Amino acid sequence: MPNIVLKSSATHQKGIFALRHIKKGEQVITFGGDLLHRSQVDFEDYHLQVAEDFYLGPSRKLDDYINHSCAPNCGFKDGVTLVALCDIAIDDEITWDYSTAIDEEDFDGFSCGCGALACRGKVSSFRHLELKDKLRLLPHLLPYLKEKYYALKVEA
Ligand SMILES: [Zn+2]
């Protein structure tokens, strides 16, 4: 039985919601899509940065529709597997923090209306976050960023 479903969202046009109680640590979804070089990506369409110049293109499945939150209930366990960071109740929207995947110098970001108390007001590249946010997000970074920013952990 699927654990999530696509519905309209209060803060976004569409979102993904829990169909049942999802326990902390449980796998929620695996991202799919073709592996694309930056030059092949349609940035107007769904995409997930997975390496310095590489992205997963749209899968046309549920993973395309998971929205950002600055206080998400999910995070990446590895490059493609999203897991619950806390217990998630039925009908809660599934979210992850896009800044744990995006890290581009020329990404200006977009304004965030996630509604979280800790909302940063903007979805930015990891490199443009404040140090306190970087340190908080370290455990959930995609593997290519974990490796790249390993020194942050050593310095902290
Ligand atoms: Zn926010």
Side-chain angles (χ1 to χ4, degrees), residues 68-71 97 111-123:
H68 164 89
S69 171
C70 297
D97 192 321
S111 60
C112 184
C114 73
L117 277 176
C119 181
R120 301 190 295 271
K122 195 177 174 187
V123 179

Side-chain angles (χ1 to χ4, degrees), residues 10 20 22 24 29 31 37 41 46-47 51 62-63 69 72 79-80 107 109-110 113 116 142 144 146-147 154-155:
R20 60 164 172 79
I22 298 173
K24 181 180 176 178
I29 194 170
F31 278 60
H37 183 263
V41 177
Y46 297 102
H47 58 278
L62 296 179
D63 53 296
S69 171
V80 291
F107 176 63
F110 52 87
L142 260 71
Y144 88 100
K146 251 185 197 163
E147 204 167 300
V154 179
E155 284 162 15

Side-chain angles (χ1 to χ4, degrees), residues 2-155:
N3 54 1
I4 53 177
V5 66
L6 176 67
K7 288 203 284 195
S8 59
S9 157
T11 48
H12 308 90
Q13 288 193 325
K14 286 176 179 171
I16 297 297
F17 293 79
L19 270 178
R20 60 164 172 79
H21 179 85
I22 298 173
K23 279 203 177 77
K24 181 180 176 178
E26 199 177 314
Q27 184 173 320
V28 174
I29 194 170
T30 301
F31 278 60
D34 293 334
L35 187 64
L36 304 172
H37 183 263
R38 174 196 298 271
S39 61
Q40 302 170 291
V41 177
D42 174 2
F43 287 95
E44 299 295 306
D45 205 342
Y46 297 102
H47 58 278
L48 170 70
Q49 189 172 7
V50 291
E52 205 56 56
D53 287 310
F54 290 90
Y55 297 76
L56 284 183
S59 67
R60 309 297 176 211
K61 292 184 180 150
L62 296 179
D63 53 296
D64 284 351
Y65 299 98
I66 303 175
N67 289 311
H68 164 89
S69 171
C70 297
N73 53 18
C74 291
F76 280 93
K77 186 180 79 170
D78 53 38
V80 291
T81 310
L82 204 63
V83 299
L85 300 179
C86 55
D87 283 356
I88 300 171
I90 291 178
D91 289 336
D92 275 3
E93 182 169 0
I94 302 296
T95 54
W96 64 279
D97 192 321
Y98 288 5
S99 296
T100 58
I102 309 169
D103 195 42
E104 297 180 315
E105 187 54 44
D106 60 356
F107 176 63
D108 291 334
F110 52 87
S111 60
C112 184
C114 73
L117 277 176
C119 181
R120 301 190 295 271
K122 195 177 174 187
V123 179
S124 313
S125 276
F126 183 77
R127 69 181 70 185
H128 297 139
L129 297 177
E130 287 179 38
L131 182 61
K132 67 172 172 56
D133 291 319
K134 284 181 177 164
L135 292 173
R136 185 174 54 80
L137 294 179
L138 267 184
H140 310 300
L141 287 183
L142 260 71
Y144 88 100
L145 289 178
K146 251 185 197 163
E147 204 167 300
K148 188 169 162 185
Y149 291 101
Y150 177 74
L152 275 179
K153 198 173 187 175
V154 179
E155 284 162 15

